[in-house]
């Protein structure tokens, strides 16, 4: 999303990230017997295979955010199967210069794709999307928590 389209101006976003936990959703997409993950291109968790996710916008229900994030980050629609619960993520890095940490209060949803033959378009947050199959090893600890709770 270009800066001019972001719902919060960058200077205000910096103040928020510096001072407030972010309400977000994470999408654990089960596909073809595995889990769909994206290789992150931005902080936090840059370079890690991670579930799609994003901040909930003001006046947006969490389930609405799930569908918006799936469209934005995957280019595909999802069906929500189950709410896995709410998790806290603490990072000692951020995508914002001079902001050294980021705190998310993330609600995770187990989902499946609406279509059997997806055409992932992705976004600029991920260099690629891939499906990973059991056994699930060596993922970011927050991803491993989601997998453990499936």
């Amino acid at each position: 999303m270009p800066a001019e389209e972001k719902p919060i101006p960058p200077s205000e976003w910096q103040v928020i990230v510096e001072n407030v936990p972010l309400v977000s959703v994470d999408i654990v997409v089960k596909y073809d017997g595995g889990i769909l993950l994206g290789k992150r291109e931005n902080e936090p968790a840059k370079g890690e295979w991670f579930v799609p996710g994003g901040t909930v916008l003001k006046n947006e229900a969490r389930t609405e955010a799930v569908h918006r994030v799936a469209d934005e980050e995957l280019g595909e629609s999802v069906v929500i199967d189950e709410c896995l619960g709410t998790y806290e993520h603490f990072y000692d890095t951020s995508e914002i210069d001079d902001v050294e940490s980021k705190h998310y209060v993330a609600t995770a949803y187990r989902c499946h794709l609406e279509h059997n033959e997806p055409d992932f378009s992705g976004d600029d947050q991920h260099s690629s999307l891939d499906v990973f199959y059991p056994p699930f090893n060596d993922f970011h600890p927050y991803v491993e928590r989601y997998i453990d709770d499936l």
Side-chain angles (χ1 to χ4, degrees):
M1 178 181 307
E4 64 273 5
E5 292 180 25
K6 291 189 182 275
I8 300 172
S11 62
E12 292 179 31
W13 182 245
Q14 179 173 345
V15 172
I16 292 168
V17 172
E18 283 179 313
N19 295 287
V20 179
L22 304 173
V23 176
S24 64
V25 294
D26 279 343
I27 309 169
V28 183
V29 179
K30 295 189 83 176
Y31 178 70
D32 193 33
I35 302 293
L36 179 66
L37 300 175
K39 185 137 188 181
R40 289 192 51 85
E41 284 296 305
N42 56 329
E43 295 292 355
K46 182 176 182 177
E48 297 277 352
W49 287 97
F50 214 88
V51 297
T55 305
V56 177
L57 304 176
K58 182 166 176 103
N59 297 321
E60 179 182 49
R62 290 174 298 165
T63 54
E64 291 171 355
V66 166
H67 295 291
R68 176 183 51 79
V69 168
D71 289 340
E72 291 174 358
E73 295 193 11
L74 304 176
E76 288 288 333
S77 297
V78 296
V79 176
I80 297 172
D81 297 316
E82 171 187 18
C83 177
L84 297 175
T86 300
Y87 303 75
E88 284 196 281
H89 297 180
F90 297 94
Y91 295 97
D92 59 3
T93 185
S94 164
E95 80 283 6
I96 301 170
D97 292 339
D98 301 323
V99 178
E100 297 179 0
S101 67
K102 207 162 186 183
H103 176 192
Y104 288 97
V105 177
T107 302
Y109 293 86
R110 180 176 53 83
C111 301
H112 67 273
L113 297 170
E114 191 172 276
H115 305 287
N116 291 331
E117 296 182 24
D119 181 21
F120 298 117
S121 59
D123 65 354
D124 60 355
Q125 289 189 58
H126 303 97
S127 58
S128 62
L129 298 166
D130 205 352
V131 179
F132 292 85
Y133 300 92
F136 299 109
N137 297 316
D138 301 322
F139 289 117
H140 190 282
Y142 296 146
V143 173
E144 289 181 0
R145 283 181 60 203
Y146 291 152
I147 292 170
D148 289 345
D149 288 348
L150 289 177

